[in-house]
Amino acid sequence: MQFQTFSSPHTRRPNSVDKVMLQVILALLPGVLAMTWYFGPGVLVNIVIATLSAVAFEALVLKLRKRPVMPTLYDLSAVVTAILFAIAVPPLLPWWLTVIGMAFAIIMVKQLYGGMGYNPFNPAMAAYVLLLISWPIPMTSWLPPVVLSANPLDFMQIVSAIFTGSPPTGLEWDAITMATPLDEMRTNLDQGHMISEIFQSPLWGDFGGQGWEWVGNWFLMGGLWLIYKRTITWHIPLAFFAGLTGLAMITFLFDPESYPFALFHVFSGGAILGAFFIATDPVTACTTRKGQLIYGVAIGMLVYIIRTWGGYPDAVAFAVLLLNMAAPTIDYYTRPQVFGHGDNHG
């Protein structure tokens, strides 16, 4: 009898890619459910469209490259990319924009570089930036949280809006959408209002926008669970928040009527999601511990700079992509010293 032999290594690694990706998906669930509660089932519809598109594009490209399809699909990396993209875009985003985003993420950003482990940029954030630059109006048309909505939509109205690109019968887009808290803050400050006046609006909660801050809390819970399970380490998230809140505290102390306090930046927009789930991408982030601290601080500072003085109110995607480019250089200058060698770089 001839026995089949396999090449080494024969032991299974404790953290396989599919296990890590499954833990990330589980950690995202509380935040996804909170988003669905506050912004409606359009969040789930977007996730379904993005996931089906991402898996289909990945299978198509692998087939064209004559690579095995099922092992790659089973690693769940395309599903994680789809979920991260779907929860970063507005709940009523037209379906064809979601499909374009997934095509760009999977084909251009991931597979053309060689697939999982070779892409220099975060696919979900690259797709988000492509759509934000190309189609800014649908990408910034958010539904208000349910606690503030004057015209709450039912499931069929949401599905109709996503697949037809038109508002429900008898309603206009302006009647069912509103600016995000970061947009609202930015617009009011540009109009010369003071922060104490801006926060008189019922739009605001304790730290950020109504509903948005609670969504952030649930993503925070999922991120802490990832650290507890050692799927990610604390270095990048902590450094991210240090960079973001450090600059925010300095400017707030300088002029508290023109610059929001630090927690506003943490609990409004995508800061918590970015710190725990996007900046920590094991493929595109720094790998050395010192490098991860530099990488996280730089992303946090860039988020604040772009939000405050740049052209876009939320800036997590831009900041992550810019630091993706710098990650190899940061790793090079922060790699651990080799035993017996005094030169860190030689």
Side-chain angles (χ1 to χ4, degrees):
M1 177 181 293
Q2 185 176 5
F3 293 97
Q4 188 175 4
T5 57
F6 298 92
S7 60
S8 60
H10 301 290
T11 55
R12 184 178 175 84
R13 297 182 61 185
N15 276 330
S16 59
V17 174
D18 55 337
K19 183 179 178 182
V20 169
M21 294 298 165
L22 181 60
Q23 288 177 339
V24 172
I25 292 171
L26 293 175
L28 283 167
L29 281 180
V32 169
L33 294 176
M35 283 194 72
T36 305
W37 173 264
Y38 281 103
F39 296 102
V43 175
L44 300 179
V45 176
N46 281 348
I47 289 175
V48 171
I49 296 172
T51 301
L52 293 176
S53 303
V55 171
F57 287 125
E58 182 127 280
L60 174 65
V61 176
L62 290 169
K63 201 76 175 174
L64 292 175
R65 294 177 61 198
K66 303 186 187 306
R67 299 293 180 88
V69 175
M70 296 314 295
T72 301
L73 295 185
Y74 282 140
D75 71 17
L76 298 177
S77 60
V79 177
V80 170
T81 296
I83 296 175
L84 290 176
F85 172 84
I87 59 179
V89 300
L92 294 186
L93 188 72
W95 67 272
W96 56 273
L97 284 179
T98 302
V99 174
I100 290 176
M102 287 299 90
F104 184 74
I106 299 298
I107 298 174
M108 302 296 292
V109 185
K110 183 180 179 183
Q111 287 296 335
L112 287 188
Y113 282 100
M116 177 70 179
Y118 297 95
N119 50 292
F121 300 103
N122 184 296
M125 291 301 97
Y128 176 87
V129 167
L130 170 73
L131 296 189
L132 182 62
I133 294 173
S134 305
W135 290 276
I137 294 178
M139 283 292 288
T140 53
S141 298
W142 275 82
L143 287 174
V146 65
V147 291
L148 298 174
S149 178
N151 299 290
L153 305 182
D154 60 34
F155 178 75
M156 292 310 297
Q157 287 176 316
I158 287 173
V159 171
S160 173
I162 291 174
F163 284 96
T164 66
S166 301
T169 305
L171 295 174
E172 299 291 334
W173 283 121
D174 290 344
I176 58 175
T177 60
M178 66 178 293
T180 65
L182 292 169
D183 272 320
E184 187 73 15
M185 177 64 72
R186 181 74 170 270
T187 302
N188 278 282
L189 288 173
D190 290 344
Q191 292 174 349
H193 297 293
M194 294 187 295
I195 288 181
S196 56
E197 295 175 329
I198 298 171
F199 273 106
Q200 297 301 315
S201 167
L203 173 69
W204 306 102
D206 294 326
F207 302 118
Q210 286 267 17
W212 292 83
E213 56 186 1
W214 279 104
V215 171
N217 281 333
W218 288 102
F219 280 124
L220 175 63
M221 182 182 297
L224 294 176
W225 183 77
L226 285 181
I227 293 177
Y228 171 74
K229 297 295 290 184
R230 297 185 179 181
T231 304
I232 61 174
T233 67
W234 55 267
H235 300 79
I236 291 178
L238 184 65
F240 182 114
F241 291 130
L244 176 62
T245 59
L247 274 184
M249 289 174 64
I250 292 171
T251 53
F252 175 75
L253 292 174
F254 175 73
D255 186 357
E257 286 294 354
S258 299
Y259 298 98
F261 52 90
L263 288 179
F264 169 81
H265 287 280
V266 174
F267 288 95
S268 299
I272 295 177
L273 179 68
F276 287 101
F277 295 95
I278 297 172
T280 53
D281 177 8
V283 177
T284 57
C286 286
T287 55
T288 66
R289 290 290 179 254
K290 191 185 298 183
Q292 288 175 346
L293 293 174
I294 297 171
Y295 177 83
V297 167
I299 291 177
M301 293 176 69
L302 268 180
V303 168
Y304 183 80
I305 290 170
I306 297 173
R307 279 182 178 180
T308 306
W309 298 289
Y312 294 92
D314 201 355
V316 172
F318 290 100
V320 167
L321 292 179
L322 289 171
L323 263 296
N324 284 165
M325 288 192 293
T329 304
I330 296 173
D331 272 343
Y332 176 80
Y333 285 105
T334 57
R335 62 190 180 187
Q337 182 174 318
V338 178
F339 181 75
H341 294 261
D343 186 358
N344 220 16
H345 318 304

